[in-house]
Amino acid sequence: MRSRRSNLKNEEETVEMEPIMISESEDEMEIDASDLELNRISEKYRKRVERRSKVVRVLTAAATFIILLSLFSLTYNYFPDRAKDGNTFIPSVPSHPAFGITRSKYLSTYNATMYVFKHQKTQAEFMAFVPADEKQDKVFGISFRTKPTSNTGVAHILEHSVLAGSKKYPAKDPFVILLKGSLHTFLNAMTYNDRTVYPVASRNKKDFFNLMSVYLDAVFAPRCITQEGEWILRQEGWRYDVNDDNNLEIKGVVYSEMKGVFSNPISLISRNVDKFLFPDNTYYFDSGGEPDAIPNLTQAEFVDFYKRHYHPTNSQSFVSGTVEDVIEAMELLDEYMKEYEYSPELKENSEIRFQKKKYAHHLYQSLPYAVQKLDESQGQHMLTITWLLNDSHLHQMQMLAWYALDYLLVGTSSSPLMKRLFESGLGSSVIGNGLNAGLMQNTFAIGMKGILASNITQVEDLILQILRDIERDGFSDDEITAAINSLEFQLREVQSGSNPAGIDIFLSTLTTWNYDRLPEEAIVFDESLASLQSIVGKQGSNFFTRMIKTYLLNNNHRVHMELHPSETLAAEMIEKETNKVKMFQNSLKQDELKKIKDTAQELKDIQNKDDPIEVIESIPSLALTDIDRLIVEYDTNVIENAYGTSTILTKNIVSGSSGIVYLDVGIDISSLGFNNVEVLPFLVAMMTENDTAKRTRKEINNFIGINTGGIGIELKLIALQDPNQVDHIATANKNLRTLLFFRGKCTAQNVGKTLELIKDMAQKSLPVTQEKAIQILEAQIASFESRITSNGHSFSVMRMHARYNAMSFIDEKLRGISQLQALKKMLARAQNSWETFETRIKTVIESFSHMASAETIINLTGDFDTLESIENNIQTFIVSLDLGSNRPPLPDFSKSDHPWIVKAGQNMAKYSPVQNEGIPVSSRVSYIGKGGRIFDEGEKISGGSCVPLQFLRKGYLWDTVRAKNGAYGVMSSLDSTDGFLYMVSYRDPQLIKTVAAYEAAAQYLQSQIQLKALTKNAIKLSIIGCIADLDGSTLPPREVGWLAFLRYMSGSSKLRRQRWRDDILAADESNFEIFAKQLNKWNSNSTLAVIAPMASIEEAPYGQNGLPFNIIQL
């Protein structure tokens, strides 16, 4: 996976600039990491500390005692606060004769102890992180500093290739085999601009060491650098293949991936900016690879790059777990590292050199990007200004200052740079989004998209003028307090995302560790934060205005990058590639062409040939007895008619919340007429920009920054289940709850203030002005269009599901292509009939502004003492809610159809007919989906159905769609509420072949059964993979409370969840036979949703069952 910079912010627009995540927005379907080629598992081998002779054991014990004794003294002096705090976690010190400890430190923020070691023989650095909570996921990661010197993407292709078999595990793809039999909670590999990282995590100890063993064998003994493994570069990187017309074409997983990346204009800007911002160092090159340059990579260059970078001396390793886990990990690391010698020259050669600021005048560049149709009246140009901030190391306090300044400039809708650009009317939305950190050199980028050609210069001038005005006028005390508080809250909230805590810690340490600085600089911030607070307390706004002047206004080392639209570029790029390959083919002699075709056939033969049984069985896996047979449960305390009112209150007691309270206030919106449902996403966006009757937007944002860790607003459709039904029965999902949630987080002392603001936002929200509404709509449209191009798989799935289920139809209306179409209509109304549109806004606000007690539900999450301490605040808030005596009682939606469902059912046939659809986009790759009901309404859906689907997903679909056809990823999933099944590809160059692969899945499954190829081991591995999907990682506190709450709201019972798990664990060959028959039925009933270049759609006009594609224009 190609990754670039990390950021404290969540940037929806800069998808490709964030590590790990393909898709960040909560309203997008999450990609199952295991379904993408880059996220694969490791092995199930755990090497225990070997037994030594009695003499060696005695000597080792004596040495260990001396080390421990000295470390006790060091630890006691290093952690002076421990004597005062009896609850402070003091673990024993891990040790191993092959590693020498350099330092240790107790980290109070994490309630964990950090140890840093060096491998004696190779000087490889190793960090151990030992949390007090032993239930946390066990994490391993290893990183190599990788320094590209070309645009061939060699670092990226190596990241893929080392995971395709190794010396100890010579299967074609041991990771896919292990994927079926692992309980991994995180599995990934990422290529940054200057490092390649391999992290894994699991809650199961045996599983963890299996994963760690395979990852180590992969990076230190990969098959791809051997003569026998030369085919791997052709599969993962690029190759000449032979198409159906007997002509050559270029394929390859990374090649397809990067064609997709370069189809995204936001990625195109950032990647091309780096070329001009960093002309003299490694950041000039795209470590992911440019599509035009990738085919220049040779096997010799590939192997040479590996040898120059994949060495223990050039690595950083990390383990999070118990002391015992750390010691065993040291043994496993040493098993590989002891085969190497210390190589200081190798580490010196991989050092990243600073790009010096050298421009006397800024650079201006203009590049084309592909659009479906030119429409200058709408504005299709883009422009960003990007500054290089530092050409020497910034110490931690300086970085924290930059995070605070970033918040001040662009962190909220009322931040001056963001606000004035957004309100200028010169573009449809703001892009760039400020600070980009995580590499040795940081940048600051800001700009706009949707600009008229005639306004480009005005946007340039405006950005600089706004900065000059801010430098002159400064920031208010409230703005500064909000920025510092928001920064501190984010730093102290240890685990807030979906990753295991240890993963985030490891990735954070690399932002300093990769540059030979201390890893703890990136995670231990108390002193630097205190210094920043002290300096800002003395200097106030002047501190930040001097930063603006120094780093931005007086800094000419910046690039002004414009993208201009081209209606012909997409076709030109396809034609260029086709002609280039054709010219190459025409230049070949017959024997040369035959050799290429023979090589292509050789790869196909390898891909089609199964690994020998003994090779597969040599790869260790868990046994079913290693799996907990009980579902992971989270309890919630439900209080109906709380404090004598009609409000429902739920409480979730969790550990590790750092004294933070998570508040979820939901208001029922079922009274809203169906014709106005499509306005809800606009309303949610508007409520991050509008005023209330009591506060201006600036006051709201400052209040949030000063008193909370943030307040978010989201829509939630919750399908209701029969709590008395133990089995999963396919339903039409007509019973549901629709709620608007205000989701906040704060410390206990600010709960009252946070609830008061939520109430103000819910009850007193005002519509925005016409001008602001138009700006919000334009920004939403721009965001949708960008996401459809870069994350088309999620839109494909929503589009298909909407054809078969009324609730899914509503969901697609709110989040899918239908919403984009609705936004465009709303924009026209806002421009031409404002009073009518404003009335619609007010109608939507009225659907929840009553905040009636009976229609409001509150969910609280925190530790026991914190929740006890806020009891009075919660009671005061709940009893203040409107009793709603003049409102009709809320129906019991578990027993009656939701009012939206009736209307949705009437609209489905017209707006989501059961037919194949082609959605043309300006891209060089496609997202190809096939979906439909595999279970009819009323049929039982067994958990055992997941097992054959897992078998297909991690076997047949992976091998066919990804490895053979060159797609970046392929996914498949079954909805257990309505029986809908989909298959969808990601960044796929092969539309027709992928559809054929989906249609052949049933036949493949039947053939495996008939040929007796379906072994007990294969079934076992698929069972374990399904359990891994069920259990996931240890959830952060907020997500524990939210999941428990949603389970309660939906009516999902423990018995129902346990039955699903039991069905999975009991699966056998009969489940495969039943599923194969169901899949045949699905084949004839399902339909397609293809998001692809128009040329690709036109090449496949026949569609499924001979039906044409219905073209849906965006």
Side-chain angles (χ1 to χ4, degrees):
M1 176 183 184
R2 170 72 169 101
S3 299
R4 292 166 72 83
R5 302 174 185 271
S6 61
N7 199 330
L8 281 179
K9 297 196 301 267
N10 189 13
E11 298 183 5
E12 180 181 79
E13 290 292 343
T14 53
V15 174
E16 293 302 329
M17 296 183 71
E18 293 292 329
I20 307 167
M21 302 291 286
I22 294 285
S23 150
E24 294 186 7
S25 175
E26 288 185 357
D27 67 347
E28 292 176 1
M29 180 186 75
E30 291 186 4
I31 299 176
D32 180 347
S34 63
D35 288 323
L36 294 179
E37 48 69 37
L38 55 105
N39 301 316
R40 300 190 265 176
I41 80 171
S42 331
E43 179 262 70
K44 310 250 142 254
Y45 174 77
R46 169 176 141 191
K47 169 91 168 156
R48 295 186 179 274
V49 179
E50 63 182 8
R51 294 189 175 185
R52 297 177 174 87
S53 68
K54 182 177 181 180
V55 173
V56 173
R57 290 202 306 270
V58 170
L59 290 173
T60 302
T64 302
F65 176 78
I66 294 170
I67 292 170
L68 289 173
L69 188 64
S70 60
L71 280 174
F72 176 80
S73 175
L74 168 66
T75 302
Y76 185 84
N77 291 312
Y78 205 89
F79 311 146
D81 56 320
R82 291 188 172 192
K84 302 175 186 177
D85 183 1
N87 295 321
T88 300
F89 171 61
I90 308 176
S92 57
V93 180
S95 65
H96 188 283
F99 291 84
I101 190 166
T102 60
R103 60 193 178 280
S104 62
K105 185 175 179 64
Y106 172 69
L107 309 178
S108 59
T109 300
Y110 306 92
N111 194 18
T113 304
M114 172 204 77
Y115 305 91
V116 179
F117 301 86
K118 277 197 174 181
H119 186 247
Q120 307 279 26
K121 187 177 181 184
T122 64
Q123 296 298 289
E125 294 179 300
F126 169 63
M127 177 174 171
F129 187 85
V130 183
D133 181 7
E134 295 187 357
K135 293 181 180 179
Q136 286 191 19
D137 296 34
K138 302 176 190 302
V139 171
F140 166 72
I142 187 165
S143 176
F144 299 93
R145 190 160 64 197
T146 45
K147 183 179 178 180
T149 55
S150 74
N151 288 315
T152 59
V154 59
H156 186 189
I157 297 170
L158 255 176
E159 171 230 302
H160 290 228
S161 300
V162 300
L163 300 175
S166 60
K167 182 178 180 180
K168 190 182 291 185
Y169 310 108
K172 278 190 303 181
D173 206 331
F175 298 92
V176 176
I177 298 170
L178 290 168
L179 194 57
K180 302 171 186 176
S182 166
L183 296 179
H184 67 276
T185 56
F186 188 92
L187 232 166
N188 213 329
M190 297 96 81
T191 304
Y192 292 75
N193 300 50
D194 55 16
R195 58 187 180 270
T196 306
V197 188
Y198 300 88
V200 295
S202 178
R203 298 163 86 168
N204 181 290
K205 181 169 183 173
K206 180 180 177 182
D207 189 50
F208 170 69
F209 282 102
N210 288 340
L211 296 173
M212 181 177 174
S213 178
V214 171
Y215 259 54
L216 285 173
D217 205 61
V219 298
F220 288 122
R223 190 164 53 159
C224 63
I225 62 168
T226 67
Q227 185 175 358
E228 178 240 350
E230 288 186 359
W231 62 269
I232 297 172
L233 171 60
R234 300 197 295 274
Q235 175 178 280
E236 302 299 323
W238 77 278
R239 66 184 180 275
Y240 286 114
D241 206 344
V242 183
N243 62 23
D244 295 337
D245 297 325
N246 204 34
N247 290 318
L248 297 184
E249 62 180 353
I250 300 176
K251 281 187 183 178
V253 173
V254 170
Y255 183 71
S256 294
E257 176 190 350
M258 298 313 294
K259 284 169 70 176
V261 168
F262 276 80
S263 295
N264 184 328
I266 302 300
S267 295
L268 195 62
I269 287 180
S270 66
R271 283 168 157 74
N272 280 284
V273 162
D274 282 356
K275 287 185 177 182
F276 299 100
L277 209 59
F278 301 100
D280 306 319
N281 81 347
T282 192
Y283 297 152
Y284 171 88
F285 301 104
D286 195 307
S287 62
E290 293 186 357
D292 288 344
I294 288 172
N296 296 328
L297 179 63
T298 67
Q299 179 73 17
E301 293 167 337
F302 180 73
V303 173
D304 177 66
F305 191 89
Y306 172 86
K307 291 180 177 179
R308 287 188 290 109
H309 296 89
Y310 281 61
H311 188 286
T313 304
N314 193 46
S315 72
Q316 296 92 22
S317 302
F318 174 94
V319 166
S320 175
T322 66
V323 169
E324 181 189 8
D325 295 334
V326 172
I327 294 171
E328 292 189 40
M330 287 169 147
E331 176 67 19
L332 195 50
L333 278 166
D334 181 54
E335 181 182 328
Y336 286 91
M337 291 184 174
K338 68 185 180 183
E339 302 300 322
Y340 293 80
E341 301 296 332
Y342 175 49
S343 180
E345 68 283 353
L346 188 148
K347 188 164 187 176
E348 181 181 346
N349 290 338
S350 75
E351 183 181 349
I352 310 301
R353 309 292 182 182
F354 278 100
Q355 169 65 56
K356 290 299 180 182
K357 299 180 188 178
K358 66 178 189 178
Y359 296 150
H361 191 270
H362 74 267
L363 300 183
Y364 187 95
Q365 299 293 327
S366 182
L367 296 171
Y369 80 100
V371 295
Q372 283 284 319
K373 184 178 181 180
L374 284 175
D375 186 357
E376 269 304 309
S377 65
Q378 297 299 314
Q380 294 175 305
H381 290 248
M382 304 181 192
L383 178 117
T384 62
I385 300 180
T386 307
W387 287 263
L388 175 60
L389 298 181
N390 62 301
D391 55 9
S392 62
H393 285 301
L394 295 179
H395 58 73
Q396 191 183 58
M397 196 276 283
Q398 290 174 304
M399 280 308 306
L400 294 180
W402 254 111
Y403 285 126
L405 179 57
D406 184 57
Y407 180 95
L408 287 165
L409 290 173
V410 297
T412 73
S413 58
S414 58
S415 298
L417 183 53
M418 179 68 74
K419 177 180 171 65
R420 286 183 59 183
L421 276 177
F422 188 69
E423 293 180 349
S424 69
L426 294 174
S428 61
S429 62
V430 177
I431 58 175
N433 294 326
L435 179 67
N436 285 307
L439 299 179
M440 188 172 72
Q441 293 188 264
N442 305 303
T443 64
F444 186 89
I446 195 71
M448 299 194 79
K449 64 190 297 186
I451 309 169
L452 292 172
S454 57
N455 288 338
I456 287 290
T457 302
Q458 285 181 260
V459 173
E460 278 185 284
D461 294 342
L462 179 61
I463 290 171
L464 297 174
Q465 185 57 52
I466 294 170
L467 290 171
R468 284 191 287 268
D469 292 346
I470 298 171
E471 191 265 337
R472 181 194 66 218
D473 300 333
F475 303 99
S476 70
D477 290 344
D478 279 353
E479 288 173 316
I480 294 171
T481 302
I484 299 295
N485 179 75
S486 295
L487 173 62
E488 182 173 8
F489 198 104
Q490 193 168 359
L491 290 170
R492 295 195 187 282
E493 190 178 21
V494 175
Q495 188 182 6
S496 59
S498 59
N499 295 334
I503 292 290
D504 287 339
I505 290 165
F506 172 52
L507 296 178
S508 294
T509 63
L510 293 174
T511 62
T512 54
W513 204 2
N514 193 59
Y515 312 111
D516 301 321
R517 295 163 63 191
L518 301 181
E520 58 266 35
E521 285 184 38
I523 58 174
V524 181
F525 53 82
D526 298 78
E527 291 183 5
S528 296
L529 183 61
S531 296
L532 176 63
Q533 291 168 327
S534 175
I535 292 173
V536 172
K538 294 175 183 176
Q539 299 182 13
S541 180
N542 289 338
F543 176 79
F544 294 107
T545 55
R546 282 200 300 273
M547 288 180 65
I548 292 172
K549 186 174 184 179
T550 301
Y551 288 103
L552 300 177
L553 291 175
N554 291 347
N555 178 9
N556 284 324
H557 198 101
R558 65 179 192 264
V559 176
H560 297 213
M561 176 67 70
E562 177 197 356
L563 288 192
H564 57 266
S566 170
E567 198 174 62
T568 61
L569 181 63
E572 289 169 0
M573 293 173 73
I574 293 172
E575 184 180 8
K576 178 183 176 182
E577 179 182 332
T578 302
N579 290 340
K580 182 178 179 180
V581 175
K582 188 179 293 184
M583 286 179 62
F584 172 74
Q585 182 173 345
N586 291 338
S587 71
L588 296 173
K589 297 177 181 178
Q590 284 299 315
D591 59 331
E592 293 172 327
L593 180 61
K594 182 178 183 302
K595 184 177 180 180
I596 290 175
K597 291 184 176 181
D598 288 345
T599 301
Q601 185 59 48
E602 175 189 308
L603 176 59
K604 290 177 182 177
D605 292 341
I606 292 172
Q607 292 172 333
N608 290 328
K609 184 179 180 181
D610 292 334
D611 287 313
I613 294 295
E614 60 272 18
V615 171
I616 295 175
E617 292 184 350
S618 72
I619 299 172
S621 67
L622 293 176
L624 292 182
T625 54
D626 295 317
I627 296 174
D628 192 337
R629 303 195 72 84
L630 297 178
I631 196 78
V632 179
E633 291 289 350
Y634 305 101
D635 293 328
T636 188
N637 180 23
V638 180
I639 306 168
E640 296 183 352
N641 303 315
Y643 309 110
T645 70
S646 302
T647 299
I648 296 175
L649 173 66
T650 59
K651 294 182 178 182
N652 309 280
I653 297 173
V654 297
S655 60
S657 60
S658 305
I660 295 171
V661 179
Y662 297 98
L663 305 157
D664 304 308
V665 180
I667 309 171
D668 189 273
I669 52 174
S670 60
S671 63
L672 181 66
F674 186 74
N675 62 314
N676 283 317
V677 168
E678 66 184 15
V679 184
L680 282 167
F682 164 79
L683 192 283
V684 170
M686 186 200 79
M687 290 180 71
T688 66
E689 303 275 354
N690 70 330
D691 301 333
T692 69
K694 292 176 61 177
R695 295 178 174 91
T696 65
R697 172 46 54 179
K698 186 173 184 178
E699 290 170 338
I700 292 170
N701 286 341
N702 285 341
F703 188 99
I704 290 173
I706 292 170
N707 297 291
T708 81
I711 296 176
I713 306 171
E714 68 178 73
L715 297 168
K716 199 71 183 176
L717 308 183
I718 304 173
L720 302 183
Q721 304 168 9
D722 181 354
N724 299 315
Q725 176 59 260
V726 177
D727 291 321
H728 285 71
I729 305 297
T731 70
N733 282 345
K734 294 181 178 180
N735 304 111
L736 70 150
R737 290 293 305 273
T738 51
L739 298 111
L740 182 70
F741 277 98
F742 294 82
R743 305 190 65 199
K745 52 187 176 181
C746 61
T747 54
Q749 62 265 32
N750 287 325
V751 165
K753 293 179 181 178
T754 303
L755 287 171
E756 190 273 330
L757 178 60
I758 287 174
K759 189 176 182 181
D760 182 40
M761 294 170 68
Q763 293 186 330
K764 304 293 182 182
S765 272
L766 300 175
V768 292
T769 64
Q770 179 183 13
E771 182 181 19
K772 174 68 76 173
I774 291 170
Q775 292 164 355
I776 293 170
L777 288 164
E778 289 177 338
Q780 286 184 288
I781 290 167
S783 175
F784 263 90
E785 290 176 338
S786 175
R787 286 186 285 127
I788 289 170
T789 300
S790 59
N791 293 285
H793 63 288
S794 60
F795 292 92
S796 171
V797 172
M798 283 189 283
R799 194 74 186 173
M800 293 184 294
H801 206 167
R803 301 168 190 161
Y804 301 93
N805 180 292
M807 179 178 167
S808 299
F809 175 81
I810 296 169
D811 182 61
E812 201 274 338
K813 186 179 181 69
L814 292 170
R815 303 191 302 125
I817 288 171
S818 294
Q819 174 61 199
L820 173 60
Q821 294 168 331
L823 287 169
K824 291 183 175 181
K825 292 177 182 176
M826 282 186 264
L827 176 60
R829 293 191 191 103
Q831 292 169 329
N832 304 315
S833 184
W834 170 244
E835 290 184 1
T836 302
F837 186 62
E838 185 181 33
T839 299
R840 291 188 79 186
I841 298 173
K842 291 177 179 178
T843 300
V844 177
I845 292 174
E846 287 169 3
S847 71
F848 60 83
S849 61
H850 53 80
M851 213 175 189
S853 177
E855 300 178 36
T856 302
I857 185 164
I858 300 169
N859 181 52
L860 304 175
T861 302
D863 62 65
F864 179 83
D865 291 339
T866 301
L867 293 188
E868 283 287 298
S869 71
I870 64 172
E871 186 78 19
N872 290 338
N873 299 116
I874 301 302
Q875 181 175 355
T876 299
F877 176 75
I878 289 177
V879 299
S880 73
L881 299 178
D882 181 8
L883 294 178
S885 56
N886 60 339
R887 295 181 61 80
L890 202 63
D892 182 352
F893 289 119
S894 66
K895 297 177 181 178
S896 60
D897 291 355
H898 191 284
W900 295 0
I901 290 292
V902 177
K903 291 289 186 181
Q906 296 169 355
N907 281 266
M908 283 177 65
K910 180 178 180 180
Y911 296 106
S912 288
V914 180
Q915 63 182 11
N916 298 325
E917 291 180 332
I919 300 104
V921 292
S922 296
S923 176
R924 296 172 69 182
V925 290
S926 306
Y927 305 89
I928 302 154
K930 179 178 172 67
R933 274 192 159 175
I934 193 169
F935 292 96
D936 293 328
E937 187 174 346
E939 282 189 279
K940 177 185 173 180
I941 307 173
S942 168
S945 302
C946 294
V947 180
L949 180 59
Q950 176 83 352
F951 177 81
L952 287 172
R953 198 172 63 153
K954 301 299 192 294
Y956 167 77
L957 288 175
W958 175 286
D959 293 339
T960 307
V961 177
R962 180 207 168 266
K964 296 176 184 176
N965 294 348
Y968 181 39
V970 59
M971 290 141 267
S972 182
S973 184
L974 169 66
D975 189 320
S976 63
T977 66
D978 70 347
F980 175 81
L981 172 74
Y982 71 80
M983 299 178 185
V984 67
S985 63
Y986 184 83
R987 291 180 181 167
D988 190 344
Q990 301 287 339
L991 194 161
I992 298 172
K993 289 183 178 180
T994 294
V995 173
Y998 297 158
E999 293 174 351
Q1003 182 181 350
Y1004 170 81
L1005 195 56
Q1006 289 171 328
S1007 70
Q1008 292 295 295
I1009 297 169
Q1010 293 167 358
L1011 296 172
K1012 305 296 182 183
L1014 192 61
T1015 65
K1016 289 183 179 180
N1017 187 57
I1019 296 174
K1020 181 201 74 170
L1021 294 177
S1022 298
I1023 289 172
I1024 294 172
C1026 291
I1027 295 296
D1029 291 341
L1030 272 187
D1031 290 352
S1033 64
T1034 303
L1035 296 176
R1038 180 170 199 170
E1039 294 310 309
V1040 169
W1042 186 239
L1043 177 59
F1045 169 72
L1046 291 179
R1047 283 177 171 178
Y1048 158 71
M1049 286 293 294
S1050 68
S1052 173
S1053 68
K1054 291 183 181 180
L1055 286 176
R1056 181 186 176 95
R1057 293 190 291 273
Q1058 188 61 48
R1059 173 66 64 85
W1060 187 262
R1061 188 183 190 90
D1062 291 342
D1063 286 348
I1064 291 173
L1065 291 169
D1068 56 22
E1069 187 172 321
S1070 65
N1071 294 94
F1072 284 71
E1073 293 170 349
I1074 294 169
F1075 192 78
K1077 293 176 182 177
Q1078 296 288 117
L1079 204 54
N1080 265 325
K1081 181 178 71 174
W1082 174 83
N1083 247 343
S1084 58
N1085 296 334
S1086 55
T1087 50
L1088 304 172
V1090 173
I1091 298 176
M1094 178 59 88
S1096 297
I1097 296 172
E1098 290 174 342
E1099 287 176 4
Y1102 54 86
Q1104 170 72 14
N1105 297 327
L1107 298 176
F1109 280 111
N1110 183 42
I1111 303 299
I1112 306 297
Q1113 294 290 352
L1114 299 178

